[in-house]
Amino acid sequence: MSAPSVGERLQSVRKRRGLTQRELAQASGISVSLIRQLEQGVRDDTRLETARKLAVALRVRTSELIVRPDADGADPSTVEQWTRVRRALERRPSGQPSELPTVKGVDEVLSREAVPLYRKTRWADLALIFPTLLRDIDLLADEGPQTRSLRFRLLYMVGTVLTQTRQFQAAELALQRAQDSATGRLENAAVVNTMAWMLIRQGRLAETRDLATRWADDIEPKMSKATLDDLAAWGMLLIRISTSAVRDNRPGEAEDTMRYARTAAVAMGYEYAPHADYLRTFGPTTWHFKRAENLMVVDRPDRVIAMADREPKSGRQVTASNRNRHRLDVANAHVRLRQYPEAFDILRGIRRDNPEWLPHQRYAREVMGKIVDRRRTLTPEMRDLADFLGLPY
């Protein structure tokens, strides 16, 4: 017997609570039409924030409404673009190349080409160079600490980008291989942090919380002796606990863990990347952005706007993904306050700065969809951005 769908679970809980669809709409702030579409199976999924609002109104955990996805969420063009990367992950290279790669050569390509492309969210370019890098890292004969560290960095980056582009099965494989090459508990914790983020993107909130809590407890440092590496790893795991908890209608747990994460961020004083690994950056600005994200989940757009005006000055090293995710929260806050031009300007700015990052964000489509629905007429720029994001007609 297959698991019940989101709509079937929603209808069952709603009836148990004695609510009509219209009464649930009034209590949750979700439209009757969307509730009807979910229950009738016209739509088979919804955003976590929407599920959380319904869960709050129904007095259940968000995880009781959502269903673990069976497939990746990537669009077909993305899947095709990354075919060679997935094959390189799954298969060891065959045959003997005419020239064997060297640790120094692979390191230079990873550091001087792949990392800058990641910083600029140039996913298409990374899809072109990752297969060769993955082949070369598998051909390295030396298995010393330097090679293991290099293999970890590459596989960790590949897993992170695959998660970013919603190719979850391939991402899980890359992250498992990265964990096999990890040289210490903090590298392992970094992989777990990305795995937790991947689980959140799939709506697997209880699994996220259990995984991140177990690891955060294991690596919790003594503050008097904690290094920046310790604090960065611990802080990000606490962030994952908090962001999953707030989506699962556990506000107290979300607040507590966010407060502990702030302790780590304040102790660090600035954004820091362990071993100069940009993907593992954490500090006061990252915390600031994630705190605003939680506030948007609980529908406090006024506080999100206020936080946007108080960004810490240490934020130059924050990852582009975290900064852009925060910009989407601010755009959504403007939409909630009926400030549509301000919201559109933010989306337009993200497209200008990181055009390959934006189309993979369902959140961006939701924000743009609200702008389209609530304006009587659209400018040519708005129509163009709606097409770019793939909004349905």
Side-chain angles (χ1 to χ4, degrees), residues 240-261:
R240 298 304 180 203
I241 300 169
S242 183
T243 54
S244 62
V246 74
R247 286 165 171 77
D248 204 15
N249 193 20
R250 298 173 181 265
E253 182 180 344
E255 284 293 315
D256 289 343
T257 48
M258 189 60 74
R259 185 165 57 250
Y260 289 131

Side-chain angles (χ1 to χ4, degrees), residues 210-223:
D210 291 345
L211 176 66
T213 299
R214 187 166 67 250
W215 274 83
D217 289 346
D218 184 59
I219 70 166
E220 181 177 356
K222 292 183 179 180
M223 297 304 292

Side-chain angles (χ1 to χ4, degrees), residues 3-73:
S5 67
V6 174
E8 289 169 336
R9 294 186 184 197
L10 176 61
Q11 185 180 62
S12 175
V13 177
R14 175 179 63 77
K15 288 182 176 180
R16 288 282 296 275
R17 293 291 184 263
L19 297 175
T20 65
Q21 290 179 339
R22 188 166 299 280
E23 288 170 337
L24 176 56
Q26 292 172 344
S28 65
I30 304 301
S31 69
V32 176
S33 62
L34 177 53
I35 293 172
R36 186 176 297 121
Q37 287 173 10
L38 288 169
E39 292 193 359
Q40 293 176 349
V42 177
R43 289 185 55 168
D44 60 3
D45 68 346
T46 187
R47 277 182 46 79
L48 278 177
E49 284 77 359
T50 300
R52 179 193 170 276
K53 290 177 181 178
L54 291 168
V56 169
L58 292 167
R59 303 192 306 280
V60 296
R61 300 297 183 198
T62 312
S63 50
E64 293 181 45
L65 292 182
I66 57 181
V67 180
R68 175 176 172 172
D70 295 321
D72 287 357

Side-chain angles (χ1 to χ4, degrees), residues 304-318:
V304 173
I305 297 294
M307 288 192 72
D309 295 330
R310 300 197 307 269
E311 180 182 326
K313 297 180 180 179
S314 64
R316 287 184 298 174
Q317 297 302 316
V318 72

Side-chain angles (χ1 to χ4, degrees), residues 103 106 117 150 226 229 268 298 346 371:
V103 172
V106 176
L117 289 173
L150 183 60
D229 289 13
M268 294 172 71
V298 297
I346 292 172
I371 295 174

Side-chain angles (χ1 to χ4, degrees), residues 285-302:
T285 306
T286 298
W287 180 89
H288 185 87
F289 289 170
K290 296 303 180 182
R291 171 63 176 152
E293 181 178 324
N294 279 12
L295 288 170
M296 199 62 242
V297 171
V298 297
D299 201 21
R300 292 302 308 272
D302 53 332

Side-chain angles (χ1 to χ4, degrees), residues 10 21 61 107 140 164 180 200 232 258 365:
L10 176 61
Q21 290 179 339
R61 300 297 183 198
D107 192 6
L140 290 175
Q164 189 69 253
D180 290 341
I200 290 175
M258 189 60 74
R365 288 195 288 276

